[in-house]
Amino acid sequence: MPIRILPPEVARRIAAGEVVERPASVVKELLENSLDAGATRVSVEIAEGGTRLIRVTDNGCGIESGELELAFRRHATSKLEAEDLGAIATLGFRGEALPSIAAVSDVEAVSRTAGAPSATLVRLEAGEVVESRAAAGPAGTSIAVRNLFRRQPARLKFLRSASAEAGQIATVVSHYALAYPEVAFSLVVDGRETFATSGSGSRREAVSGVYGSGTAAAMIEVSESSEDHSLEALIGAPGLSRASRSYITIFINRRWVRSRTLAFAVEEAYRGLLPAGRYPIAIVDLHLPPSEVDVNVHPAKAEVRLRDERRVFGLVQRPIRAALAGMAAPSYGAAPAWPRAQPLASSWAPDEPAGVPHGGPPQPEVEARQQPLPTRIPVLRPLGQAGTTYVIAEGPAGLYLIDQHAAHERVLFERIRAGRQGGPPAFQGLLAPATLELTPQQEALLDGHREALRSVGFEVEAFAPGRRHRGPGGYILRAVPPLMKADDPGRAFTEVLDLLTREDAPADPLDRLAASLACHAAVRAGHSLSVEEMRDLLRQLEDCETPQTCPHGRPTMLHLSADELARRFARR
């Protein structure tokens, strides 16, 4: 095939794919433009997860009438000179966002500067200007993006549900509300305002708007500064931990970034204060000289490269650790009560020698179970616990180390699935219904999984269905699944919602919910189990269809064969 130049419209769409991955990408780029324009009020409105409509309106400086069309030309920007690449101080700088958005949607932009007699309106379809005229409008800029990816059906079909995409957008807006507490943000989803911040300048107030007043009041302030850096943070005490890492928010020079290194620095500050599988709430605002941070790594600008990563790790970890010094790890109560397993004819008797099945020669069913992994696991006899996390067991084929949390997850997951297929859901009504303080992302998850949540036993209702409300909350939890034993059912419910966002969760929505519920209800690492509880867990794991992994794909056990033991002890 000969080399040829791609048609301009194809090149635009290919380039746009690097910047605009999903509706949340559009919101992020438009928000950053608003903030760079000095806006103190920014409103975001979306419909159908952002695919039908995204409108971002601000009261920033606006765009000059003669420059509005130019703003949609590739690499047109007012934020960068060539010599600035080594020290970028604005959120946007590439001049790619607006043309990329216009290439994959229909766009209408209305903008007016403070001194202009009227606003200017520009409409674009597939990246081409189809209308430009004077219009009425306040000072600032409003950009409406419609029919996102309509001309790219392959991209459109890979998007998630409307509620899931709305949840991603809510995450973007809430993060920038935390980074810019002096800016008033609002988010309207399908005609309903789901959250708003006051723009008072108080980060704690912004946290209240995103996570709820109770969480905001319990956050700990951390600050440190020197000649070349400063850190301001709000962190949760160990008792405010969550079930996912999504509550660790990192800003570098007020830019929301994804940094495994700095997120790990926050987690390291909590070492020894949180049990396995729990993560802190933390909002970290780190300011560094722009020359020490390379934001020109990827078109989405979410990843950064640090000149001295080891030093910056310490700048984050050290002050947070100091603020937590002396705090005790929270108690999460005793291990949950184990449903009694029916004894199997092939159970191991505690006082019988290893390798001899109880009740004489193995029956055919037992022989089938004694096949090596990954077929069904053999009958196992518990010997004890290692680190109150792993059950040590003996079987006909050697020793087994079982992750008690992963194994119990598998047991509960299959029980939930079986119960879902066996009839109407079982509800456990709450004597005192719990008021829910949901983040915007959690609210989107609730809207998208409402029927699935009911199918496993959750009963949730709005205070006033259809009424607009401000800030987290607006829902009442009236019933939970019988297997959920929790002193705080409201918190348990929100953790189940958070677990739905795990990247390793099953793809099927119902299985994803079953996995989240099982993960929350399963016995945790660090719980001491009695011999009887270990025996019950092993019996139930033996009866599972897929006992080798938890619903998220982690292994439930490791096997050390008799031959391997003999080899390692030089018996062969």
Side-chain angles (χ1 to χ4, degrees):
M1 182 177 293
I3 296 175
R4 55 199 175 104
I5 302 296
L6 289 173
E9 65 275 11
V10 176
R12 282 197 297 265
R13 292 177 189 176
I14 292 173
E18 295 184 321
V19 178
V20 184
E21 300 176 10
R22 60 187 335 119
S25 307
V26 174
V27 174
K28 176 180 180 293
E29 297 293 345
L30 296 181
L31 278 181
E32 290 182 349
N33 282 349
S34 294
L35 294 169
D36 281 339
T40 59
R41 292 194 313 275
V42 182
S43 66
V44 180
E45 178 186 356
I46 66 170
E48 296 180 12
T51 57
R52 183 163 70 86
L53 171 68
I54 296 171
R55 180 183 286 112
V56 176
T57 304
D58 66 59
N59 67 342
C61 65
I63 302 172
E64 294 286 349
S65 174
E67 296 181 350
L68 190 54
E69 285 189 39
L70 181 61
F72 287 90
R73 297 276 299 274
R74 190 163 301 280
H75 308 308
T77 180
S78 63
K79 305 172 185 179
L80 186 71
E81 299 291 341
E83 60 270 18
D84 295 335
L85 274 177
I88 294 170
T90 55
L91 295 174
F93 59 90
R94 293 175 179 273
E96 291 183 328
L98 291 180
S100 294
I101 293 168
V104 293
S105 66
D106 299 328
V107 174
E108 180 179 285
V110 179
S111 189
R112 182 169 76 85
T113 57
S118 64
T120 300
L121 180 148
V122 170
R123 283 199 310 113
L124 301 95
E125 294 179 0
E128 298 293 338
V129 175
V130 296
E131 183 180 8
S132 179
R133 60 178 172 82
T141 301
S142 177
I143 296 181
V145 178
R146 294 183 172 87
N147 304 318
L148 184 64
F149 299 136
R150 183 182 66 181
R151 300 178 185 86
Q152 293 80 35
R155 175 65 64 90
L156 193 63
K157 73 179 181 180
F158 280 102
L159 295 181
R160 296 168 63 185
S161 66
S163 61
E165 296 298 336
Q168 294 290 325
I169 290 169
T171 297
V172 170
V173 179
S174 59
H175 280 160
Y176 278 104
L178 294 173
Y180 289 79
E182 73 277 17
V183 177
F185 288 86
S186 65
L187 174 63
V188 175
V189 179
D190 295 323
R192 184 167 59 90
E193 187 177 73
T194 59
F195 108 106
T197 59
S198 66
S200 68
S202 165
R203 182 168 278 121
R204 193 178 294 273
E205 277 194 34
V207 172
S208 179
V210 175
Y211 294 145
S213 57
T215 297
M219 299 289 273
I220 301 166
E221 293 186 13
V222 179
S223 63
E224 180 180 276
S225 62
S226 70
E227 291 183 359
D228 68 344
H229 88 280
S230 67
L231 179 140
E232 298 289 334
L234 281 175
I235 63 171
L240 282 177
S241 67
R242 295 294 185 261
S244 77
R245 289 186 174 92
S246 62
Y247 289 82
I248 300 175
T249 306
I250 307 290
F251 305 110
I252 297 181
N253 298 342
R254 310 192 84 182
R255 181 190 302 278
W256 172 39
V257 300
R258 290 192 294 263
S259 171
R260 291 185 180 181
T261 297
L262 299 188
F264 183 60
V266 175
E267 291 182 42
E268 278 293 289
Y270 283 80
R271 180 194 288 271
L273 298 176
L274 297 178
R278 306 294 300 182
Y279 303 94
I281 300 177
I283 299 100
V284 178
D285 187 5
L286 178 65
H287 287 256
L288 298 170
S291 59
E292 297 295 310
V293 185
D294 181 5
V295 300
N296 192 26
V297 177
H298 186 274
K301 305 186 298 293
E303 300 173 10
V304 297
R305 186 178 292 115
L306 302 171
R307 184 182 296 274
D308 189 345
E309 199 168 66
R310 184 184 297 272
R311 174 176 175 267
V312 176
F313 180 98
L315 295 180
V316 172
Q317 190 263 357
R318 185 181 59 254
I320 295 177
R321 184 67 182 180
L324 296 170
M327 290 190 178
S331 172
Y332 286 86
W338 290 88
R340 298 291 299 173
Q342 294 296 320
L344 302 176
S346 57
S347 295
W348 290 93
D351 54 352
E352 288 184 342
V356 182
H358 175 63
Q363 301 299 312
E365 179 183 355
V366 176
E367 290 177 347
R369 289 191 176 193
Q370 289 178 331
Q371 299 301 314
L373 299 173
T375 58
R376 295 182 69 97
I377 64 172
V379 179
L380 301 176
R381 177 166 69 97
L383 302 177
Q385 260 184 308
T388 62
T389 299
Y390 306 102
V391 175
I392 305 171
E394 182 181 30
L399 290 179
Y400 294 78
L401 200 62
I402 295 95
D403 183 318
Q404 64 194 39
H405 177 73
H408 199 201
E409 265 192 285
R410 167 53 61 180
V411 169
L412 294 179
F413 175 73
E414 295 198 5
R415 183 180 304 160
I416 294 166
R417 283 205 306 184
R420 198 173 66 211
Q421 298 165 357
F427 295 92
Q428 178 175 293
L430 300 177
L431 294 177
T435 301
L436 300 175
E437 285 196 332
L438 303 183
T439 68
Q441 184 183 35
Q442 289 169 340
E443 188 170 343
L445 289 167
L446 170 60
D447 289 343
H449 294 82
R450 192 177 295 275
E451 291 304 315
L453 287 162
R454 183 172 176 79
S455 75
V456 298
F458 287 108
E459 191 171 276
V460 185
E461 65 183 47
F463 278 133
R467 192 179 75 182
R468 292 160 67 92
H469 67 276
R470 299 174 71 85
Y475 294 92
I476 299 175
L477 178 66
R478 295 198 178 276
V480 298
L483 66 82
M484 179 170 281
K485 311 293 184 183
D487 296 331
D488 187 345
R491 175 175 174 175
F493 176 75
T494 58
E495 289 192 355
V496 169
L497 290 180
D498 287 340
L499 288 167
L500 288 171
T501 64
R502 284 183 58 161
E503 293 182 357
D504 55 0
D508 179 83
L510 292 174
D511 281 352
R512 178 179 289 264
L513 177 59
S516 299
L517 182 56
C519 183
H520 174 82
V523 63
R524 298 187 185 279
H527 282 304
S528 179
L529 303 180
S530 69
V531 173
E532 186 64 23
E533 287 170 335
M534 288 187 276
R535 184 179 293 115
D536 284 346
L537 174 59
L538 295 178
R539 295 299 161 266
Q540 294 172 76
L541 187 63
E542 290 164 10
D543 288 336
C544 288
E545 293 181 3
T546 314
Q548 292 80 26
T549 64
C550 79
H552 299 97
R554 290 199 305 113
T556 58
M557 67 187 73
L558 298 177
H559 176 215
L560 192 61
S561 69
D563 288 342
E564 179 67 11
L565 283 169
R567 186 183 68 79
R568 289 182 176 272
F569 282 104
R571 288 182 171 271
R572 301 197 166 174

